[in-house]
Amino acid sequence: EEAARKAAEEEARAKAEAEAEAEAEDQGIKQEELPAWDASDSEGDWDADAVATNLNLNLKLKLDDEEEEVVEEEVFTKGTGPTITNNDKSKKKKKKKGGKHRAGFNPSRMNDDSSDDSDDSYDSDESDDGRMTAKEKMRQRRMEKEAELDAAREQREQRQRDALAKRSKDDLRSPICCVMGHVDTGKTKLLDKIRRTNVQEGEAGGITQQIGATYFPMENLKKSTDKLNKALDLEFKVPGLLVIDTPGHESFANLRKRGSSLCDIAILVIDIMHGLEPQTIESINMLRARKTPFIVALNKVDRLYGWKDQNGAAIREALEKQDDNVINEFETRTKQVITQLMEQRLNAKLYYENDDFRRVVSLVPTSAHTGEGIPDLLYLLVELTQRMMIDRLMFSEIPEATVLDVKKIEGVGTTIDIVLVNGKIKVGDTIVVAGMNGAIVTQVKALLTPGEMKEMRVKGEFVHHDELRAAVGIKIAAQHLEDAIAGTSMMVVTENDNEEELCDAVMADVQDIMENISTTGRGVCVQASTLGSLEALLEFLRVSEIPVASVNIGPVHKRDVARASIMLEHQKEYAVILAFDVKVSREAQDAADDMGVRIFTAEIIYHLFDHFTQYIKDTKEERRSEIEQDAVFPCVLRVIPENVFMKKNPIILGVEIVEGICKVGTPLVVPDKLVPDEENGGTKMLELGRIVSIQKDGVDTNLVKKGSAVCIKVQGNSSQSYVAYGRHFDASSDLVSKLTRGSIDLLKENFRDDLQKTDWQLVIRLKTVFDIV
């Protein structure tokens, strides 16, 4: 037995040794099957495509300790044979991080002999850079870019400060004057009289819709003030006067803000017959907020009863030739205006009685029709700017401009009207303006100005210039201006400027506007001709709580209609395009008719508001009529026993409205009378039917409120026809309108303003009666 046991152990040991030798032999064969590959051997058959495929499988290494993926770059170069430049680096990373290649071709086997040398020469800093994730690299690049832009912005602001320090009192630019006031006070007409033009009648409805600029050369100012100048001996130091005409009505507050931020001095036009009006007060607040000096033009003195025309005369000369009754009325109305200005915390006097122009507002009586007082107005503008605003008027080399309008001119192309506030601009300069799809960088092809004493908005012959200096209104012709936005800043690129930083600067205004747009993508589409009018429309919609889905500046095209048609699936009443002072292409109109999109167009913003407001009102009424049967108003009725005219279906009886609103179509129940519920089992409230008619004092009516006594006719359906007064209910039981969750929701959405606070309180109480969540 012992010998057999030893023999078995020897046999097992021999078998195990044989298996181990066989396994070692197999491993040796496998190693011999993978011969080392020499990169310098160009005669060997090497499949580059196969190697590239295997390399792609090993581009990402799974790092066990940091659990992040590091992207390896494999670079192939062509020569006598293919070479791999990042092989050693990937091998080093594998060794240091303890990571493993996935199954497939292992690049570390390709050149084992050189692995130690490459490990020794490997730079640890380079390894750290290689392990930086893509997200971290993007963050680093973004921070570097922001730092670069901040540095460029600081350099630009420093150049502006240096330019301000180099200004001289002997080199002045033209003052910019802004004309403000209430609608229809005669602002544009006043300028027309000075220019001897007729812009005002060309405006839609005689109302200014956009800001316009007019340049008055010094020679013309001297001629206009010649009668006054002989006595006052005024010395002209400024090269001219640039006047900006702003809209007066409420909707254009943003345009007035933009105009007043441009101007050095303002003319506030007040109708002497009406005194201060809403937009007059608003303009005063704007000027006060910006600390802009202003003078008051007391316009329409020719409306005084018995006024004798003195065309173009100075105001004191014209007053001397009036009768006593005219003088008395003039003094009375002037005192009224001065009192109204004092209510706005402003001291005011007639300009020829004013001895403190800094603290007391000057009043200049004028007539836009007959021209009296206009020489006084121009004289006072020039005198005040030269005497009190020298520091502000000193010329600076840094260009500063604002875009007023974007227009397409036949034979020229798309142009922008700008006011050059400071600096110079010449043909060939690179400019940056804000656009609907981002900043526009383009080169000036032509500088155009209207003829002397003419309005920029009016079509006519333009004068070409090679270079212009501030302050002046200019029409610039250049490429890619189709998407330019009126009402934004324009910048001129100099050799030291960072173009990208200027693009960010001009787009700042547009980003502010975009904040007013609905983020849900649901609402109306708005199109306008300028940024200011777009702001006015957005402000109206914001106050009216109407969401805006998209905005655009320029004509309405078919793509705009397609965008608006999306709302047909969500809220039909918002499938609307509000187009102010822009054209609608024929294709867009045809598409709108086919899709059911409404396009509202108007040249006067008031009319656009009226049309859209009426449309919303009509749409709501239409929807209310559609759901009127389903919207149940809350009411509690008490039967008048002596006025029961018919006890069976249809039940006709007199009732008193104890609470709520009784309306035709209201379903009535008796809460304290329960009957079997055959459909659902259990019991339910006694249902009488719906009110089909209401009479009050013998006259049919649709709706009555709390406290009224009326006669109602209740019609039950087939399942309710058995109900009879006296048998199933009597005067001791109140009748209540049957509310549901759906009817309450309809009330909230469509009839919220029709219910008083007490009515909503009744709704809350009835929810508990009908067990409504």
Side-chain angles (χ1 to χ4, degrees), residues 401-523:
T402 296
V403 181
L404 294 185
D405 201 0
V406 181
K407 288 186 177 178
K408 194 168 185 177
I409 305 297
E410 293 181 6
V412 178
T414 305
T415 64
I416 54 175
D417 293 346
I418 70 161
V419 170
L420 185 63
V421 180
N422 230 327
K424 296 179 181 179
I425 187 170
K426 60 181 181 294
V427 175
D429 279 348
T430 301
I431 59 173
V432 182
V433 295
M436 287 302 297
N437 300 314
I440 300 169
V441 181
T442 185
Q443 196 173 36
V444 177
K445 299 298 182 185
L447 296 175
L448 311 173
T449 61
E452 292 181 356
M453 307 276 286
K454 289 187 178 179
E455 166 71 76
M456 282 180 64
R457 289 172 294 177
V458 179
K459 293 181 180 180
E461 293 296 326
F462 288 93
V463 181
H464 288 255
H465 302 269
D466 293 329
E467 181 175 325
L468 287 169
R469 84 178 243 146
V472 65
I474 309 171
K475 186 178 287 292
I476 293 180
Q479 293 181 339
H480 314 303
L481 293 176
E482 292 79 9
D483 293 332
I485 302 176
T488 56
S489 299
M490 187 201 81
M491 295 190 176
V492 180
V493 181
T494 63
E495 58 181 6
N496 297 319
D497 285 324
N498 182 309
E499 193 174 286
E500 188 173 348
E501 188 272 324
L502 294 182
C503 292
D504 290 345
V506 298
M507 289 300 293
D509 279 350
V510 183
Q511 292 169 359
D512 292 340
I513 300 299
M514 294 307 170
E515 291 177 358
N516 287 329
I517 300 175
S518 169
T519 56
T520 62
R522 296 190 179 186

Side-chain angles (χ1 to χ4, degrees), residues 295-308:
I295 59 180
V296 172
L298 270 182
N299 200 27
K300 301 188 180 181
V301 293
D302 57 288
R303 296 280 299 277
L304 298 172
Y305 183 75
W307 180 269
K308 297 176 183 177

Side-chain angles (χ1 to χ4, degrees), residues 307-308 310 313-322 372-373:
W307 180 269
K308 297 176 183 177
Q310 307 293 325
I315 191 62
R316 279 181 285 184
E317 180 184 337
L319 288 172
E320 289 174 357
K321 298 182 180 180
Q322 306 301 323
E372 292 94 344

Side-chain angles (χ1 to χ4, degrees), residues 548-564:
V548 178
S550 66
V551 299
N552 201 358
I553 292 179
V556 179
H557 298 290
K558 188 176 179 179
R559 63 177 179 270
D560 301 314
V561 177
R563 189 187 305 119

